[in-house]
Amino acid sequence: MPEVYLLFIGVAVSLFELLGILLGIREFRKAGQEMTKQRISLEAAAKRAGQNIED
């Protein structure tokens, strides 16, 4: 019978790990979108100033 408890504990730990991974991916994507917005606004500001930025 203790095996059943260990199984439930293992499943619960796995679900918490999956939740952590999904939240981490979400935060990573959010940070990437923010960096893209900042890059676009910096490029636009540079163009307004008459500079040419190339990759």
Side-chain angles (χ1 to χ4, degrees):
M1 202 59 167
E3 297 87 12
V4 174
Y5 295 124
L6 291 176
L7 177 66
F8 285 132
I9 291 171
V11 169
V13 168
S14 296
L15 289 175
F16 278 118
E17 288 179 354
L18 179 62
L19 180 64
I21 290 169
L22 292 176
L23 288 174
I25 290 172
R26 182 174 159 231
E27 291 298 317
F28 186 76
R29 289 183 63 197
K30 198 185 307 183
Q33 290 173 350
E34 185 63 32
M35 286 177 57
T36 301
K37 288 177 188 176
Q38 290 177 357
R39 183 181 61 90
I40 290 171
S41 66
L42 286 173
E43 286 177 353
K47 285 181 182 179
R48 283 192 303 264
Q51 300 171 353
N52 190 8
I53 296 178
E54 295 184 15
D55 295 338

